[in-house]
Amino acid sequence: MGLSNLAGKRILLIIGGGIAAYKSLDLIRQYQKAGAAIVPVLTRAGAEFVTPLSVSALAGSAVHTDLFDLTAEAEMGHIQLSRSADIVVVAPATADLIGKMASGLANDLATTLLMATDKRVLIAPAMNVRMWDHPSTKRNIATLDADGIAMVGPNSGEMACGEFGPGRMAEPSEIVTATATILKEGPLQGRHIIVTSGPTHEPIDPVRYIANRSSGAQGTALARALSALGADVTFVTGPARVPPPQGVRIVQVETANEMLSAVQTALPASAAVFAAAVADWRLAESREQKIKKKPDGTLPVLQFAENPDILATVAQMTQGRPDLVVGFAAETENVTAHATAKRARKGCDWIVANDVSPETGIMGGPDNTVTLITEQGTEAWPNMSKTDVARQLAARIAEALA
């Protein structure tokens, strides 16, 4: 997406301690190139990796480091700092800083600013892979997510310590893009939209599951397109092959029941778009131990149960129903007829139908050919990339909600 909406914006940049702090210098340059003004805050640990002089020289403004600056505090400086910015960005966000944020601690300038601000906060985590995978970090990230804190990264790669895995701070360009996404304006500004995506995995036993070939590409593209139009997007995704979009609220699930619960938790919303390829069935009872082959060759008997119908559940709500409910119909024959019947049966407003027969290459591929089915009739769209399908559908959603 473009970065023009960063022009004239004031960004409070908190630089935590860690080897990734050196990237903050390039981050300042990229923000300034986009027209943003930077107000830097350097933690005591951050100053071990980059100097206040280098940060100040690049930012073109004084570096704030001390909560107990008497001149500033006489004018309630930390409150002014926290609220005069358009957004607060923490890069790198170390395990220590994340832990303090999740616990509500305010024992230095950075954490006090984060507690006092009334603006959106974006963090770019950076830490060792073991620290990132630690249960306490996962709990802290979940807490911040529930508090509405946005996150970009971390990426996977080689660490300064020599280990490999998730924990590398997102690249400065990714952080700038995520910032622009949060500060964007558009026809869907102020609208909350739920998007489901990817397959669901229904466990058979601890090592096997029922799934489908959905990559999650169409749902991801749609969430990105809606976000680019200004929507506040909650992205509920199963175990997709494509990475989730930046700048949206991500809720990761495995099963259909988990997806339904996540959608219900995310409500209310102006619109809900159900692009996920939810498994129709699950095992009535998944096995606690791996199913073994029997010596006599007897095959195991698996008893199936129907999964919840997430689309119908939301579309038929009597209270709190989104203004627009959009379903997807992945068919292999009689596409338009089956999808039209599905729209009536489920009670949704629109159905986006496509032919996912193996020969089309649509499921898991880069392109899509869809038919939009509404109360007014059917509208066949030409073959195009999933990104273009998403943009066109997002524009239609914006028109419908206007």
Side-chain angles (χ1 to χ4, degrees), residues 196 218 222 272-276 309-316 321 323-356 368-381 389 392-393 396-397 400:
T196 69
Q218 187 63 81
L222 183 56
V273 185
F274 297 97
D309 191 324
I310 302 172
L311 173 59
T313 299
V314 174
Q316 297 172 23
R321 182 191 190 276
D323 295 329
L324 182 65
V325 177
V326 182
F328 273 64
E331 304 289 348
T332 58
E333 61 177 351
N334 300 322
V335 175
T336 301
H338 285 170
T340 300
K342 180 177 181 177
R343 191 188 81 83
R345 186 172 66 253
K346 306 285 186 179
C348 59
D349 302 296
W350 299 353
I351 282 282
V352 180
N354 56 5
D355 185 343
V356 295
N368 205 350
T369 305
V370 307
T371 298
L372 178 63
I373 301 171
T374 69
E375 187 178 7
Q376 285 71 42
T378 63
E379 183 180 315
W381 294 1
V389 169
Q392 190 163 320
L393 183 58
R396 293 293 292 273
I397 290 171

Side-chain angles (χ1 to χ4, degrees), residues 7 10 12 19 37 42 60 67 78 87 123 129 132 143 145 150 167 176 190 228 270 276 290 294 313-314 360 380:
R10 184 179 171 92
L12 183 63
I19 190 63
L42 189 60
L67 175 62
H78 68 282
I87 188 171
I123 64 171
V129 60
W132 176 252
T143 297
D145 179 64
V176 172
S270 297
K290 180 183 175 182
K294 295 185 178 180
T313 299
V314 174
T360 67

